Amino acid sequence: MPKDGGIGASTKRREDVRFLTGNGRYTDDINLRGQAHAFFLRSQVAHGKINTIDTSAAEAMDGVIRIFTAKDFEGVGGVPCGWLITDKHGQPMQEPKHPVLAEGKVRHVGDPIAVVIAETLDQARDAAEAIDLDIEDLPAVVDMKAALSADAPKVHDELSSNLCYDWGFVEENKAAVDEAFASAAHVTSLELVNQRLIANPMEPRVAVGDYDPWNDNSTLYTTSQNPHVIRLLMGAFVLGIPEHKLRVVAPDVGGGFGAKIFHYAEEAFCTFAARQLKRPVKWTSSRSEAFMSDAHGRDHVTKIELALDAENNFTAIRTETYANMGAYLSTFAPSVPTWLHGTLMAGNYRTPLIYVNVKAVFTNTVPVDAYRGAGRPEATFQLERVVDKAARELGVDPVELRRQNFIKADQFPYATPVAVEYDTGNYDATMDKMLELSDYAGFAARAEESKKRGKLRGFGIAHYIEACGIAPSNLVGQLGARAGLYESATVRVNATGSISIYTGSHSHGQGHETTFAQVVADMIGIDAGQVEINHGDTANTPMGMGTYGSRSLAVGGSALVKATNKVINKAKKIAAHLLEASEADIELADGKFTVAGTDKSVDWAGVTLAAYVPHNYPLESMEPGLEETAFYDPSNFTYPSGAYGCEVEVDPDTGEVEIIGFTAADDFGNVVNPMIVEGQVHGGLAQGIGQALLERCVYDADGQLVSGSYMDYAMPRADNVPNYTVDHSCVTPCTHNPLGVKGCGEAGAIGSPPAVINAVIDALQRGGHSHVTHIDMPASPSRVWAAMNAK
Amino acid sequence: MYNFDFVKPASVEDAVAALSGDEAQPLSGGMTLLPSMKQRLNAPATLVSLTGIDALKGVCRDGDMLVIGAATPHAVVARDAAADYPALAELAGQIGDPMVRNRGTIGGSLANNDPSACYPAAALASGATIVTDKREIAAEEFFQGMFATALDEGEIITSVKFPIPQKAAYAKFAQPASRFALTGAFVAQYADGARVAITGASENGVFRWSEAETALSSNFSADALNGLAASADQMIGDLHGTPEYRAHLVGVMTRRAVGAAH
C-alpha cells in the first residue's frame, strides 16, 4: 500500500482548490500599474505585398500612445527556430526570417502587420481600424503538393522554392528497403491525411511586458510551458537582452497542449514595446485571434507501404510524407515530422527495414508545430492503419497479425532500424489486458444485437509506442536541436524541515504541485503538506527546459530525485554528527535518522534545524544549510506503450459514429499518482477522439481560414466521448531513470485516432460496405455516409 | 464592440418609438446580435431591449392555439409548452446550450431567420401566425430566404400563434461544431393534412417539403415516405456536408420525425 501522500497514492490535486474556486492567477489576471494595451492589426489576406502602411490618422486618435510597424524592428532579430534539419543530401533546411511584424509581405491570414498601443484596448482597436493599409494581393499557396510545383508562387521570395527540406531516414537503408518491397509476398499501401488541428487551450495566449528603466530590468509574464526557453530564445536571438536583465514568468497556465511551448512574436513585441515606452504593455488574445495566431498541429499527407513475407512477417516499411510548416518555421516545427515521427515508425514491431521520407513545405497558412504527441500520433496513425488494412487484405485477425510481429518481452532492450533503442516493454501483456477489459470475446454477440437495431458495430484496435523525455542533449544536438533537453530542480530545505522545491518543469494542468511533492515526501518520509512546489519563474527556478513531450516526471522528476538524494546525503552527515555515529550507519525512514541497530535517532526537523542553526555542527568539514540543485540529462527516451480498443456503432442512415466503449491498457512504467494518470489518459483520449471524429482546420483555396471559430471547428464535448476503461497495471519500469517512470501525457492522443478509425472501418466492412478501406479524419457523419455510398 | 446607447422600454409602444431612431436595433436575447457586435460586424447606435416588456412574455393556451410571447426564452417554452404542444417544447429544449436557452427568445430566432435555426421549422410546419406591433403575418409569407423575413424596418414581433396539431415531432441532425441543425425536419399532422418543414438544408432557408406533405396527408407513417427523395438542388454545401448529404438527411430526419410524432 502506498503511503498517504507518497508515491503510488491517488492524492487529490492540491492546485485544484484554487483552480476550481476561480482563484487561479493566470497571466490575464496580471494588471500592472500604468499598463498600456496592445492591439495587433493582422492580415486578412493569405499572401500580399505591403505597399504602404499609413498610421498618421490612427496616431492622432484618442488614447493612442504609439503605433509600431516592421520599421520599428530594424536591428531586432527575427523569431528564431530551435531545430535545424539536415536534408537527405546533407544540406541544411531552408530557414526564412520570421520577423516580429510583417516585413514587405504578409504570408498568412493573421500575420501581424502593425500594433497599436493605447490607454485602453478599445482605443487601440479603434485606432487600428484607422490604419490605412495598401496591400496588393498575391496568389496564395495552400495545398502542399501544389506549393512544390515549379511555377508555384513562393511564400518567401528569397528562398529557392517552398520546400523547407527533403529528409530521408535512414537514407543509407533506402536501397535495401526498396529491394525488400521488390521481393515481398504482399504489399499493403495506404494514402492518408493527418489533418491540421488547432490546439484551443481553454486559456488563450497572453503577454504582459514590463520594464524598470532604473535598473534596466525587463520582465515578461506569459502563457508558456517553458519560461526559461522563452528567456533564452527571446533574450539572445530577438531582443538582445542578457539573462540577468530579463525575467520570464509563466504563472498559472490554463492548458498548453504544445501550442504554448513556442516563442511567439507577441511575447517579443510586448517586452520590446515596454522598453520603448517605459511602461507595461499587455496583450490578451481573443479566441478569434487564437485560431489564426496559435501554432497549429499535425497537417501531414502520407503514403505508407508495408511489405510482408509469405508468413505475414513484416519485412519493410516505406513512407512518403508531406508536412506543412505553414508560412514560417515555428520554434520546433522542423523536428516534428522528422525526429519525433521517423524514429517511431517501427512501432511495436520487429520490422527490420524502414525508410521514411518527409518533405516539409511552406504554405500561406498559420505555422504548424508540436501538438499533443507531436509526430508520434502521425507515425502511430499510419502504422496502425496500414497494419489493420494488411490484416484485412490477408484475411487474418488484426490481433494475431500484430502479435506475430510484436517485439517480444524477452527481446528488450531492442534496437529498431530507425535509430532508437527501446529499453523495456511487454506488448502482449497490454494487448491481453485490453482484450480482457473490453470483453473482446463478447464483441460478436454485441455486434449481432446492434444489427437488430439497424446499427453497424465495429471494434478497432491500435497498439502504440511513444517516446517521451526526448534526450540525451548531446544526441539531440547532433540531430539539430539548438537547445539541451535536461531538466533541473532545486530542493531548498527550510530550517524547520519544510521544503521549497524549485523545478524547471512547468505545470499547466499536469498536477506537478501534487505529484512532485509526493515524490519528495516519500523519499524523506515526511508529510507531503511539508513540501511546496514552485515553478514558472526564471527569477527563482534553475535553468530548465519546461514541460512538453510527456517529460516532466521522467526528466524533471529525475532531477528532483537527484537533488533530493543530495539533500539526504548531506542530512545523513549532519545526523551522524548529532548522533555521534558513523555516516555509514545512519538510516533514514519515516522522517527519522536512526543509527542502525540502535534506538538512537534524530528526526528530520532536528537535522534541518542543525543545518541552519549550526551550533552543534561540523563546520570545519561541512557548510551549513541544506539546499541542493541537480540537473538531469537522460541517457535515452522513455517508451510508454499500450493497447487501445474502441467499439463504435455507425448509424447507416446518417453516417454518424457513436463511441460505445473505449479501453486503454497502458504501460507507463511506475506510477506516482494513479488518479492523475487516469485523468491524463482521459484528456488524451478526448483529444484523440476529437481528431478522429470532429476536429478539422480548413483553409479555402485562397488561404482564408474557413474553420475560424467554434461554429465550424468542432471541439469534442462531454457527450462525444464514452465512459473510458483505463488500466495501467501492466508495468515494465523504465530502466534508466531513478523512478522507473515513462510519461503518460500524450499517450491517449497518440493511440486513440487509429483505434477509432479502425473501428469505423470494421463496422462498415461488417455491415457489407467492403469497398470502404479508409476514411480520412475526422470521420464526420457526412464523410462516413459518403464513403458508404461511394460507388 | 463599439459604443452604443441602450434603452429598455416597458411597453411595445415605447419600444417602437425607440426603434424609429437612427440606426436603432431591437435586442431580444442577443444570442446572435451580441457576438456580431463584439466582433465589430454590427454597430447599432441604439439597442432597444425588448426583454423588459411583460406583454411580450409567456406561453398561454387560447382555444386550439398556443400563443407564445416573442420575448419568451427557449427554456420557458421548453417548460411551459410541454403540456399543450410537446413537440414544440422538445424543439425549444434542444436549442443551443443552457445559456442560449435562458437568454435566447423565440421572437429573436424568428426575426433572425438563420437558415440553420430550429424555430423557423416549427413555425412553418405549424402554419403559425407571426404577430407584430402592426399586423399578423402567416409563416408562409414571413420567411423569405436566408436571414430574410417580411418584417419592415422597426417592426417587432410581439407573439407567435401556433395552431396545435394532432401530433408532431421535430428531428434534428446537429452540425458537429455549432450544433445548429445541419438538417432538421418538423412534421405536424392536422385535421386537414400534414405539414413538413425543413431547416438547415437549403440555401433559401426553411422550406416546406411538399412531396412529403402530400404523401403523409394520405398516410401519416414513415412508410408513406418510401421512395421519396429531396433534390440536392439548392441545398447548402459546406465543410460539414455536401448538398447530396443534406438532401439525404431531409428524408432521414423527416422519417424519424414521423416515427416520433406524438
Side-chain angles (χ1 to χ4, degrees):
Chain A
M1 276 293 287
K3 267 183 272 184
D4 191 28
I7 292 174
S10 282
T11 306
K12 285 194 177 158
R13 289 166 32 120
R14 56 173 71 171
E15 47 269 77
D16 282 347
V17 176
R18 68 177 192 276
F19 293 155
L20 298 179
T21 56
N23 289 294
R25 186 168 185 257
Y26 296 92
T27 309
D28 190 51
D29 294 323
I30 294 169
N31 291 296
L32 303 175
R33 198 170 151 182
Q35 154 184 296
H37 296 267
F39 181 83
F40 282 74
L41 178 64
R42 296 179 183 278
S43 178
Q44 298 186 4
V45 299
H47 197 190
K49 179 169 174 287
I50 302 173
N51 287 330
T52 56
I53 306 172
D54 181 356
T55 59
S56 52
E59 274 161 14
M61 288 176 67
D62 281 353
V64 173
I65 298 162
R66 189 160 156 196
I67 298 174
F68 289 85
T69 61
K71 68 175 168 22
D72 298 294
F73 283 81
E74 283 165 14
V76 174
V79 180
C81 178
W83 204 299
L84 173 72
I85 293 298
T86 301
D87 76 6
K88 65 183 187 185
H89 309 295
Q91 296 302 306
M93 67 186 186
Q94 297 208 78
E95 190 173 358
K97 184 179 180 189
H98 183 181
V100 174
L101 298 177
E103 285 174 6
K105 286 215 308 189
V106 289
R107 296 184 175 87
H108 66 85
V109 169
D111 206 359
I113 300 165
V115 189
V116 182
I117 310 288
E119 299 294 341
T120 72
L121 182 57
D122 277 334
Q123 288 171 333
R125 206 170 169 180
D126 288 344
E129 287 179 7
I131 295 175
D132 189 11
L133 287 178
D134 176 4
I135 295 183
E136 187 182 326
D137 276 11
L138 296 170
V141 284
V142 177
D143 178 80
M144 286 189 277
K145 291 180 185 173
L148 294 182
S149 71
D151 56 349
K154 284 197 284 186
V155 178
H156 295 275
D157 301 333
E158 70 276 20
L159 302 187
S160 63
S161 70
N162 292 317
L163 180 69
C164 177
Y165 56 74
D166 186 351
W167 186 74
F169 182 64
V170 176
E171 193 61 29
E172 294 72 33
N173 293 349
K174 186 172 187 305
V177 169
D178 289 344
E179 275 172 39
F181 272 92
S183 61
H186 182 85
V187 173
T188 296
S189 72
L190 180 60
E191 290 183 43
L192 54 84
V193 175
N194 202 299
Q195 83 272 31
R196 180 182 283 240
L197 301 176
I198 304 176
N200 283 301
M202 194 180 289
E203 177 205 29
R205 288 189 298 119
V206 185
V208 186
D210 192 17
Y211 180 61
D212 179 350
W214 307 110
N215 54 25
D216 192 34
N217 283 344
S218 288
T219 303
L220 169 68
Y221 302 89
T222 184
T223 48
S224 176
Q225 300 176 214
N226 31 238
H228 278 286
V229 174
I230 303 306
R231 186 177 68 164
L232 179 65
L233 293 177
M234 182 176 80
F237 297 99
V238 189
L239 301 179
I241 307 172
E243 289 95 327
H244 68 299
K245 290 292 173 192
L246 177 58
R247 175 183 172 201
V248 177
V249 185
D252 285 335
V253 172
F257 311 109
K260 291 176 183 168
I261 297 172
F262 323 118
H263 176 41
Y264 285 97
E266 293 89 352
E267 295 172 321
F269 177 82
C270 289
T271 309
F272 177 82
R275 288 172 73 91
Q276 297 283 308
L277 302 173
K278 297 185 171 52
R279 59 187 287 189
V281 172
K282 180 174 190 174
W283 168 73
T284 298
S285 173
S286 69
R287 185 59 68 182
S288 309
E289 233 177 336
F291 272 84
M292 58 173 124
S293 69
D294 290 4
H296 292 172
R298 313 276 193 262
D299 207 348
H300 286 191
V301 174
T302 293
K303 180 180 182 187
I304 180 168
E305 297 167 284
L306 172 66
L308 301 95
D309 67 16
E311 283 76 47
N312 298 340
N313 296 308
F314 302 166
T315 57
I317 290 168
R318 184 166 60 192
T319 74
E320 182 185 35
T321 288
Y322 292 81
N324 205 333
M325 296 286 102
Y328 304 100
L329 290 177
S330 177
T331 310
F332 292 115
S335 67
V336 175
T338 49
W339 299 111
L340 297 179
H341 161 248
T343 52
L344 272 296
M345 283 312 304
N348 305 102
Y349 308 110
R350 294 190 310 272
T351 318
L353 287 163
I354 297 175
Y355 178 72
V356 177
N357 173 246
V358 178
K359 295 171 183 72
V361 186
F362 294 110
T363 60
N364 292 112
T365 61
V366 169
V368 179
D369 206 327
Y371 167 80
R372 201 171 193 166
R376 290 151 287 171
E378 294 90 324
T380 303
F381 186 70
Q382 296 164 47
L383 194 55
E384 289 302 291
R385 283 288 301 120
V386 83
V387 168
D388 227 62
K389 187 163 183 252
R392 272 181 207 294
E393 290 174 358
L394 295 165
V396 297
D397 182 338
V399 174
E400 290 316 312
L401 184 63
R402 285 180 170 86
R403 279 194 200 280
Q404 179 185 337
N405 287 283
F406 272 166
I407 300 160
K408 295 295 176 184
D410 60 2
Q411 292 178 308
F412 292 94
Y414 187 88
T416 73
V418 275
V420 290
E421 184 178 279
Y422 302 160
D423 57 344
T424 55
N426 186 343
Y427 309 143
D428 283 301
T430 39
M431 181 68 94
D432 288 341
K433 179 60 76 177
M434 182 277 287
L435 295 174
E436 173 206 326
L437 292 175
S438 61
D439 186 23
Y440 185 60
F443 171 74
R446 296 193 295 277
E448 205 47 45
E449 188 275 332
S450 294
K451 203 171 169 184
K452 286 182 190 146
R453 287 184 286 108
K455 298 287 176 70
L456 313 179
R457 204 172 184 104
F459 194 94
I461 292 163
H463 207 290
Y464 75 89
I465 182 86
E466 89 132 319
C468 303
I470 174 170
S473 294
N474 51 5
L475 172 69
V476 297
Q478 286 170 27
L479 304 183
R482 289 163 168 164
L485 282 165
Y486 52 84
E487 198 45 84
S488 64
T490 294
V491 176
R492 177 178 297 163
V493 182
N494 303 306
T496 63
S498 68
I499 300 176
S500 305
I501 304 288
Y502 297 87
T503 171
S505 297
H506 184 275
S507 183
H508 33 277
Q510 291 84 351
H512 299 164
E513 291 171 35
T514 302
T515 52
F516 281 21
Q518 285 179 254
V519 170
V520 175
D522 194 275
M523 288 177 71
I524 297 173
I526 56 174
D527 188 282
Q530 290 286 92
V531 185
E532 177 87 355
I533 307 298
N534 299 280
H535 61 90
D537 187 345
T538 61
N540 60 25
T541 56
M543 172 85 178
M545 303 311 293
T547 288
Y548 41 81
S550 306
R551 71 192 300 272
S552 294
L553 191 61
V555 190
S558 298
L560 186 58
V561 169
K562 222 175 141 187
T564 305
N565 277 328
K566 286 189 189 177
V567 160
I568 290 171
N569 288 341
K570 184 173 180 185
K572 280 184 175 174
K573 289 192 173 77
I574 300 168
H577 173 85
L578 295 173
L579 296 169
E580 297 175 335
S582 159
E583 188 195 331
D585 293 334
I586 302 295
E587 292 172 347
L588 170 62
D590 297 329
K592 191 193 278 186
F593 297 90
T594 307
V595 181
T598 74
D599 60 356
K600 282 171 69 180
S601 70
V602 58
D603 67 11
W604 171 252
V607 170
T608 62
L609 192 65
Y612 288 96
V613 187
H615 296 166
N616 176 14
Y617 194 89
L619 287 168
E620 63 289 349
S621 62
M622 212 167 30
E623 296 169 10
L626 195 52
E627 172 170 336
E628 299 288 351
T629 293
F631 288 78
Y632 176 80
D633 206 292
S635 60
N636 191 358
F637 301 164
T638 66
Y639 298 97
S641 61
Y644 285 5
C646 176
E647 196 159 328
V648 300
E649 264 188 1
V650 177
D651 181 339
D653 291 339
T654 61
E656 192 170 31
V657 176
E658 184 188 358
I659 298 185
I660 305 293
F662 201 105
T663 304
D666 293 290
D667 176 358
F668 293 135
N670 294 328
V671 166
V672 169
N673 184 319
M675 178 197 72
I676 287 180
V677 167
E678 187 169 345
Q680 283 276 25
V681 174
H682 282 202
L685 293 176
Q687 240 161 320
I689 289 169
Q691 172 165 25
L693 296 181
L694 295 158
E695 298 182 47
R696 181 181 169 213
C697 174
V698 181
Y699 282 95
D700 70 12
D702 297 326
Q704 289 295 325
L705 182 59
V706 178
S707 56
S709 79
Y710 293 133
M711 292 298 280
D712 288 300
Y713 189 90
M715 291 292 282
R717 305 185 199 189
D719 62 357
N720 292 124
V721 298
N723 285 320
Y724 305 113
T725 304
V726 173
D727 178 271
H728 34 264
S729 66
C730 298
V731 174
T732 61
C734 171
T735 59
H736 55 80
N737 66 42
L739 291 165
V741 296
K742 296 184 178 177
C744 66
E746 296 160 297
I750 293 170
S752 57
V756 174
I757 299 300
N758 287 344
V760 172
I761 300 298
D762 187 55
L764 297 186
Q765 293 259 341
R766 286 171 191 275
H769 302 279
S770 55
H771 65 285
V772 184
T773 57
H774 180 67
I775 292 178
D776 273 324
M777 300 186 291
S780 61
S782 60
R783 281 186 172 178
V784 173
W785 179 82
M788 288 167 65
N789 291 284
K791 292 293 175 263
Chain B
M1 200 177 269
Y2 297 103
N3 286 339
F4 57 89
D5 291 324
F6 181 77
V7 293
K8 193 169 185 180
S11 72
V12 173
E13 294 70 30
D14 288 351
V16 170
L19 281 168
S20 66
D22 243 10
E23 291 179 49
Q25 281 187 38
L27 172 72
S28 193
M31 295 295 91
T32 303
L33 178 56
L34 295 183
S36 72
M37 288 171 65
K38 285 182 182 173
Q39 291 187 47
R40 298 191 161 197
L41 300 172
N42 198 330
T46 305
L47 274 188
V48 181
S49 171
L50 305 178
T51 54
I53 305 171
D54 288 340
L56 297 185
K57 290 184 190 173
V59 177
C60 75
R61 174 95 186 222
D62 180 8
D64 56 1
M65 292 278 185
L66 193 68
V67 183
I68 301 179
T72 311
H74 313 324
V76 173
V77 175
R79 186 186 67 208
D80 292 352
D84 295 305
Y85 196 164
L88 184 64
E90 285 156 16
L91 174 148
Q94 288 177 48
I95 298 173
D97 54 30
M99 187 181 92
V100 169
R101 289 195 288 276
N102 282 285
R103 295 286 308 171
T105 67
I106 186 169
S109 173
L110 294 175
N112 190 45
N113 194 20
D114 187 303
S116 301
C118 297
Y119 266 132
L124 189 58
S126 304
T129 302
I130 317 302
V131 184
T132 76
D133 61 300
K134 293 199 290 204
R135 55 186 169 146
E136 296 199 346
I137 311 171
E140 213 71 49
E141 277 80 50
F142 182 82
F143 301 108
Q144 302 194 343
M146 266 193 191
F147 299 106
T149 69
L151 290 173
D152 292 334
E153 199 69 25
E155 183 176 14
I156 52 180
I157 303 174
T158 55
S159 67
V160 188
K161 297 198 279 194
F162 288 90
I164 296 171
Q166 294 164 343
K167 54 181 176 175
Y170 178 59
K172 166 164 106 169
F173 193 82
Q175 193 254 60
S178 69
R179 300 210 175 172
F180 273 65
L182 189 69
T183 294
F186 199 105
V187 170
Q189 187 182 24
Y190 290 92
D192 60 352
R195 292 170 67 103
V196 178
I198 305 295
T199 188
S202 168
E203 289 178 343
N204 302 313
V206 66
F207 68 96
R208 285 173 68 181
W209 189 18
S210 49
E211 292 90 339
E213 291 185 349
T214 308
L216 292 171
S217 292
S218 54
N219 173 15
F220 193 84
S221 76
D223 288 344
L225 298 169
N226 287 345
L228 278 190
S231 161
D233 224 29
Q234 303 206 344
M235 291 289 175
I236 297 169
D238 61 16
L239 68 101
H240 305 288
T242 57
E244 291 72 25
Y245 182 59
R246 281 184 167 84
H248 169 74
L249 285 181
V250 167
V252 175
M253 291 299 120
T254 304
R255 265 180 211 95
R256 288 187 180 176
V258 171
H262 59 107

